[in-house]
Amino acid sequence: MIRRPWRLAAEISAVLIAVVVAFPLYWMVLSAFKPAGEIQSTDAKPWTFNPSLDSFRRVFEQQEFGRYFLNSLMVAGAVVLASALIAFLAATAVTRFRFKFRTTLLIMFLVAQMVPIEALTIPMFFLMRDLGQLNTLWSLILPHIAFSLPFAIWMLRGFVKAVPEALEEAAYIDGASRTRFLWQILFPLVFPGLVATSVFSFISTWNDFLFAKSFIISDTSQSTLPMALLVFFKPDENDWGGIMAGSTVMTIPVLIFFVLVQRRLVSGLGGAVKD
Amino acid sequence: MTHEATAEPGAVKTAAPAAAGAPDGRRPGRGGKRRGGAGRRGSGWTPWLYLAPALVVLAGLLVYPIYQLGLISFLEYTQAQVSGGEPTTFKGLGNYQELFSDPQFWDVLLATVVFAAACVIATLAVGCALAVLLTRIRALPRLLLMMAALGAWATPAITGSTVWVFLFDPDYGPVNRLLGLGDHSWTYDRYSAFALVLFEVVWCSFPFVMVTVYAGIKAIPSEVLEAASLDGASQWRIWRSIIAPMLRPILVVVTIQSIIWDFKVFTQIYVMTSGGGIAGQNLVLNVYAYQKAFASSQYSLGSAIGVVMLLILLAVTLVYLRLMRRQGEEL
């Protein structure tokens, strides 16, 4: 369909673009391993012959990055589990039942997705203060569950819908209870969708910077990774080695997670868009 | 995918008769769109039971905060009221009056809209162009581009921001050296600072558009495209008359998503321009609201800005709903 020289040109530009797109990540990892002298050289080279772990050491020893990493992981993990379960139930309700206000609810979930969570920082701050949760990980977990839910429900709908009605009929005829159908038949079938959905709630929680900055005010032991990274920005001289090492530590888990679930993610995206 | 989307309502309707034998108590024959499951076992409360956790969480942590946001925006609420030193007083539209008479607000609002529009247009252009490119190349270069995009996509906003600032660092960054710009500072000038943030935003958000649109193009049957090119249609004509209309639903989704994301950029601006740029030249509504509320303790003014943002995005959402309805999507 397309002539050969054109395809070759297209392929070369695709590879070049891939290099440009990947370059910031390469630069991040490279700078994390560069010794201090090379980082502070005005003659920045795209390689190093003296890789060093100094920046990582600084990050983990001076900054307790391990603890922040664990905090981030706990927050994201709790949000992913809770929102997946709650969204699964809700998505089942709106796809497999017909009831009054069903459409209204769906529209509400759609509208809720569009709410700029950043605009809710102020009331959320007072709510968490009133609940006595400021400076605790709960102040990050609770809001993020709420913010991931509408999208998760919306996205899971397609997956729940895709499970044939006949299967449900058959299960009931065989004497399965509604609960049994829900957890032993529907849940495993929808699981790939849950994974795709979880990627989004994981990412948005893992990335959260605004809430961590606003709600974890005094107790830095409850900080998450994005906040810990900021410590390396200094008014006079940024510690770029530390920033890049910290960034690497923060990015790699997400990258691994992404690569692991990419197939499901793409098909999940298809499912969500289709709807 | 587009195909499945249009075929789906039909599929649902054909599934309906299978369940029609079962007694469907409530709302029979609702537009003939009855589906199975519904009340088959006479359990009218079951859906609400399933929905309860979601509704409780959303009511407590979304609806209530929205109500609070609106409320605070009508009050006099600064540090004195928060600490309980002074009573909270009702200010009516006072905060909005103050906000709207502040030229900085209008400047920030304009900057937000222009910046978001530029980000959306650039993201869509890059994403769609690369999606088309992906369809023209063999598996290996395609995989390389996909992997690179996946990497950019997976990068958290904050690390993406730090890396891009470092790349453009006047002293130690490779970009200035490559372009021979000496120690030119990108964040010093308002427009180049916005441009720098725009690069980062496009970098981390084009992959979503690219992957989604690519999946959409792949879903168009190749026979249709071949028939068109056999009939002598030009590439441009094929794109305009076949691919574009079939991609419309997907394009609507990615456009709306991009508008919503780019309108509320916070982390990038905050990190890359150190909290809104020199003298606040790079403020967008989000960062502006944050600075008002948490840096200068004017919670009521910050809330009023939040309400303005909420209303703008609500308007976008309504447009989205209308577009969906017009496409005959069934909820």
Side-chain angles (χ1 to χ4, degrees):
Chain A
M1 204 160 75
I2 181 162
R3 267 172 294 142
R4 201 167 267 266
W6 281 109
R7 190 174 68 181
L8 198 66
E11 283 172 348
I12 290 170
S13 41
V15 173
L16 286 179
I17 293 167
V19 170
V20 171
V21 170
F23 188 74
L25 285 176
Y26 169 72
W27 195 257
M28 173 182 82
V29 178
L30 173 78
S31 309
F33 283 104
K34 268 185 181 174
E38 280 184 39
I39 288 216
Q40 275 155 15
S41 143
T42 45
D43 181 27
K45 289 196 180 65
W47 62 74
T48 177
F49 296 116
N50 312 297
S52 122
L53 289 173
D54 279 353
S55 298
F56 287 98
R57 215 166 283 142
R58 212 160 49 248
V59 161
F60 278 99
E61 279 165 14
Q62 289 175 14
Q63 278 304 318
E64 287 193 279
F65 236 61
R67 175 195 276 272
Y68 302 138
F69 192 90
L70 224 69
N71 284 346
S72 268
L73 212 60
M74 254 151 64
V75 172
V79 171
V80 164
L81 285 182
S83 60
L85 278 184
I86 300 175
F88 168 64
L89 285 173
T92 307
V94 292
T95 38
R96 303 200 85 89
F97 293 90
R98 291 249 143 209
F99 52 95
K100 217 175 167 181
F101 304 124
R102 196 188 67 99
T103 316
T104 318
L105 268 180
L106 275 174
I107 293 180
M108 272 174 50
F109 290 144
L110 184 74
V111 174
Q113 253 182 78
M114 315 296 184
V115 171
I117 63 170
E118 293 82 358
L120 297 183
T121 319
I122 299 165
M124 215 44 120
F125 175 80
F126 291 119
L127 180 64
M128 289 303 146
R129 188 197 59 177
D130 295 345
L131 293 173
Q133 299 302 327
L134 284 183
N135 288 322
T136 72
L137 294 183
W138 284 109
S139 70
L140 305 180
I141 295 173
L142 289 174
H144 277 290
I145 295 177
F147 297 142
S148 350
L149 268 184
F151 180 72
I153 296 173
W154 198 253
M155 194 154 165
L156 268 178
R157 251 178 38 148
F159 289 92
V160 178
K161 223 185 209 172
V163 175
E165 299 282 341
L167 207 65
E168 194 171 349
E169 299 279 334
Y172 293 146
I173 288 167
D174 289 346
S177 68
R178 212 181 261 290
T179 325
R180 204 180 145 103
F181 168 76
L182 191 68
W183 295 111
Q184 299 201 331
I185 300 171
L186 196 57
F187 187 76
L189 285 173
V190 176
F191 193 74
L194 276 172
V195 173
T197 310
S198 299
V199 175
F200 286 89
S201 43
F202 178 84
I203 299 271
S204 70
T205 313
W206 188 259
N207 285 356
D208 170 70
F209 166 66
L210 178 55
F211 282 7
K213 189 168 169 52
S214 315
F215 301 163
I216 310 288
I217 336 159
S218 47
D219 188 358
T220 47
S221 73
Q222 301 296 304
S223 269
T224 48
L225 284 175
M227 289 306 296
L229 207 56
L230 279 196
V231 178
F232 294 98
F233 281 94
K234 300 192 178 85
D236 41 334
E237 182 79 79
N238 293 337
D239 175 2
W240 283 116
I243 296 171
M244 291 301 118
S247 296
T248 305
V249 173
M250 193 178 164
T251 308
I252 299 298
V254 194
L255 261 176
I256 295 172
F257 188 50
F258 244 72
V259 171
L260 286 180
V261 301
Q262 56 140 327
R263 273 176 195 287
R264 281 179 177 168
L265 177 73
V266 173
S267 71
L269 214 58
V273 169
K274 192 173 70 183
D275 250 36
Chain B
M1 212 178 324
T2 17
H3 259 29
E4 283 164 30
T6 44
E8 205 171 45
V12 167
K13 272 174 205 124
T14 47
D24 191 340
R26 289 163 310 288
R27 325 203 60 172
R30 203 184 158 213
K33 276 183 278 178
R34 263 182 310 170
R35 253 178 268 179
R40 218 177 343 221
R41 297 205 152 182
S43 43
W45 286 105
T46 316
W48 292 104
L49 203 69
Y50 289 178
L51 277 166
L55 293 181
V56 168
V57 170
L58 290 177
L61 291 159
L62 205 64
V63 179
Y64 178 70
I66 291 175
Y67 160 75
Q68 281 280 319
L69 181 79
L71 188 66
I72 297 174
S73 77
F74 291 117
L75 301 176
E76 167 84 39
Y77 212 62
T78 58
Q79 196 49 46
Q81 283 80 22
V82 172
S83 57
E86 274 178 42
T88 318
T89 49
F90 188 71
K91 233 176 134 186
L93 290 171
N95 291 314
Y96 292 95
Q97 224 158 37
E98 191 178 328
L99 198 62
F100 294 159
S101 59
D102 181 358
Q104 196 192 8
F105 166 76
W106 295 104
D107 186 47
V108 173
L109 180 66
L110 183 70
T112 309
V113 172
V114 173
F115 173 71
C119 286
V120 170
I121 293 169
T123 308
L124 287 176
V126 172
C128 291
L130 293 187
V132 174
L133 184 67
L134 280 180
T135 61
R136 301 294 165 86
I137 56 181
R138 279 171 293 189
L140 186 66
R142 190 164 61 223
L143 183 74
L144 283 176
L145 185 49
M146 274 282 197
M147 291 314 274
L150 214 62
W153 193 359
T155 305
I158 185 149
T159 55
S161 304
T162 60
V163 176
W164 276 81
V165 170
F166 188 38
L167 284 172
F168 286 78
D169 187 83
D171 298 319
Y172 312 124
V175 174
N176 274 10
R177 252 180 66 78
L178 202 70
L179 298 178
L181 286 175
D183 58 355
H184 167 78
S185 167
W186 286 77
T187 49
Y188 189 75
D189 172 64
R190 185 182 196 195
Y191 296 102
S192 72
F194 265 130
L196 178 57
V197 180
L198 179 132
F199 293 151
E200 201 282 336
V201 170
V202 172
W203 176 72
C204 68
S205 44
F206 88 85
F208 167 74
V209 178
M210 184 187 85
V211 171
T212 316
V213 172
Y214 174 69
I217 297 178
K218 292 300 276 183
I220 297 173
S222 53
E223 306 89 66
V224 178
L225 301 177
E226 270 163 34
S229 64
L230 279 179
D231 286 347
S234 63
Q235 284 297 326
W236 169 243
R237 188 63 206 268
I238 291 180
W239 169 258
R240 211 180 46 130
S241 306
I242 301 174
I243 303 181
M246 281 182 145
L247 283 183
R248 233 182 66 118
I250 285 180
L251 289 177
V252 169
V253 172
V254 293
T255 309
I256 299 284
Q257 282 291 351
S258 301
I259 293 175
I260 288 163
W261 282 337
D262 296 345
F263 191 78
K264 50 185 201 185
V265 162
F266 177 87
T267 311
Q268 283 93 339
I269 291 275
Y270 194 90
V271 173
M272 297 178 81
T273 70
S274 337
I278 298 156
Q281 61 177 6
N282 294 112
L283 283 173
V284 290
L285 279 181
N286 238 330
V287 187
Y288 188 48
Y290 176 85
Q291 300 289 27
K292 278 267 186 259
F294 292 97
S296 34
S297 296
Q298 291 177 297
Y299 297 101
S300 32
L301 272 184
S303 298
I305 302 169
V307 170
V308 171
M309 276 181 61
L310 201 68
L311 290 178
I312 295 177
L313 283 174
L314 194 68
V316 176
T317 311
L318 291 179
V319 173
Y320 178 45
L321 275 172
R322 279 195 64 143
L323 284 172
M324 267 184 55
R325 276 280 151 97
R326 201 179 303 164
Q327 279 167 15
E329 284 271 355
E330 187 208 356
L331 284 173

